[in-house]
């Protein structure tokens, strides 16, 4: 158990819909990262927040957005969903360099 | 384009054989991290290398960081079935760039 929690565990939705994925970092960790992992693929870095501010941006689509709240939990919003957005979405948190990954949210877009 | 390349994509070995995965960056890295992801699981941090030419060992695992800080390798001696999973490197250049991973399968 990494100490990072993600909800929901699984999500099934339809194309065109919007979903919100939630992440609670390890206690005391200020940084939160979001990653997308498609079937049998590597980890695609989406975005990083540090203490509420956006720190780094990866290959995040314009249809996707994220934020980190004052209590340090983070949400990843995915809108106008397409079939290709089906993937495992991981959140990770860190205090320094080491990233601790949550169990992921498996999104299926039908 | 992808900043960190990782090879091979897949490796099938007989239990007891050695295994190596390589990562290569087009630019100098601040540091490199290695993660392991078991089937159905999430990535788990293994180690971080920071210094040029650094070598670190964890039991049967040996991690190396190149002199130019552009490449790294993970070597497993005498693989066991518990080593099965995907091994990712992640290079830091302002932000983290993950390699595509090497999926290791170990036949008993």
């Amino acid at each position: 158990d990494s100490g990072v929690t993600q909800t929901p565990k699984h999500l099934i939705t339809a194309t065109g819909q919007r979903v919100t994925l939630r992440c609670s970092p390890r206690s005391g960790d200020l940084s939160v990262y979001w990653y997308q992992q498609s079937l049998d693929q590597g980890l695609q870095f989406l975005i990083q927040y540090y203490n509420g501010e956006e720190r780094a941006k990866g290959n995040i689509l314009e249809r996707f957005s994220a934020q980190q709240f004052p209590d340090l939990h983070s949400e990843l919003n995915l809108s106008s969903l397409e079939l290709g957005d089906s993937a495992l979405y991981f959140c990770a948190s860190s205090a320094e360099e080491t990233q601790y990954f949550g169990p992921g949210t498996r999104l299926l877009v039908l | 384009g992808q900043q960190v390349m990782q090879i091979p994509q897949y490796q099938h070995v007989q239990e007891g054989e050695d295994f190596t995965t390589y990562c290569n960056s087009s630019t100098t890295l601040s540091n490199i991290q290695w993660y392991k992801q078991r089937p159905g699981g999430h990535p788990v941090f293994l180690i971080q290398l920071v210094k040029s030419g650094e070598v670190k060992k964890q039991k049967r695992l040996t991690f190396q960081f190149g002199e130019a800080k552009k490449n790294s390798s993970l070597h497993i001696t005498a693989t066991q079935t518990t080593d099965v999973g995907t091994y990712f490197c992640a290079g830091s250049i302002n932000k983290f760039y993950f390699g595509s991973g090497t999926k290791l399968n170990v036949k008993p």
Side-chain angles (χ1 to χ4, degrees):
Chain A
D1 183 10
S2 65
V4 178
T5 59
Q6 287 187 250
T7 56
K9 210 169 186 175
H10 302 276
L11 197 48
I12 303 175
T13 188
T15 55
Q17 296 297 305
R18 172 190 164 97
V19 297
T20 297
L21 312 184
R22 185 189 165 100
C23 169
S24 292
R26 290 188 327 153
S27 177
D29 285 358
L30 298 180
S31 273
V32 169
Y33 307 76
W34 286 99
Y35 294 89
Q36 180 192 58
Q37 186 175 42
S38 301
L39 190 64
D40 278 345
Q41 297 294 309
L43 289 159
Q44 184 94 315
F45 168 68
L46 297 178
I47 199 163
Q48 178 200 355
Y49 279 83
Y50 179 84
N51 202 19
E53 300 286 326
E54 184 182 302
R55 171 67 68 93
K57 217 167 187 175
N59 297 326
I60 187 165
L61 299 172
E62 281 193 20
R63 300 184 285 109
F64 296 0
S65 66
Q67 54 184 329
Q68 187 179 26
F69 295 87
D71 67 352
L72 301 178
H73 91 271
S74 178
E75 291 181 354
L76 178 67
N77 301 295
L78 315 176
S79 61
S80 302
L81 285 167
E82 301 174 0
L83 295 177
D85 297 327
S86 295
L88 199 49
Y89 290 85
F90 285 109
C91 160
S93 76
S94 72
E96 295 180 358
E97 295 278 359
T98 304
Q99 295 183 43
Y100 296 89
F101 282 77
T105 293
R106 187 171 293 280
L107 173 67
L108 180 59
V109 182
L110 299 175
Chain B
Q2 189 167 352
Q3 299 277 359
V4 175
M5 304 297 293
Q6 188 173 355
I7 57 168
Q9 195 174 359
Y10 301 97
Q11 186 82 57
H12 300 271
V13 299
Q14 199 70 40
E15 191 172 24
E17 292 181 338
D18 292 356
F19 159 79
T20 306
T21 173
Y22 302 89
C23 276
N24 196 57
S25 169
S26 53
T27 55
T28 302
L29 301 169
S30 302
N31 60 64
I32 194 158
Q33 297 181 351
W34 284 92
Y35 292 80
K36 177 183 177 181
Q37 184 176 20
R38 291 182 187 275
H42 59 270
V44 174
F45 173 81
L46 293 176
I47 208 159
Q48 176 173 283
L49 304 171
V50 180
K51 299 176 188 173
S52 167
E54 190 170 11
V55 178
K56 284 188 177 179
K57 292 194 175 189
Q58 288 179 352
K59 297 183 181 176
R60 294 178 295 104
L61 277 61
T62 302
F63 303 85
Q64 290 189 315
F65 202 10
E67 293 291 339
K69 298 181 73 171
K70 286 186 176 183
N71 54 70
S72 181
S73 65
L74 157 59
H75 179 82
I76 302 179
T77 304
T79 54
Q80 300 174 358
T81 53
T82 52
D83 296 325
V84 164
T86 302
Y87 293 84
F88 292 98
C89 63
S92 176
I93 317 164
N94 299 320
K95 55 189 175 187
F96 277 99
Y97 294 91
F98 274 78
S100 53
T102 296
K103 197 169 185 176
L104 172 64
N105 187 36
V106 180
K107 289 175 283 188

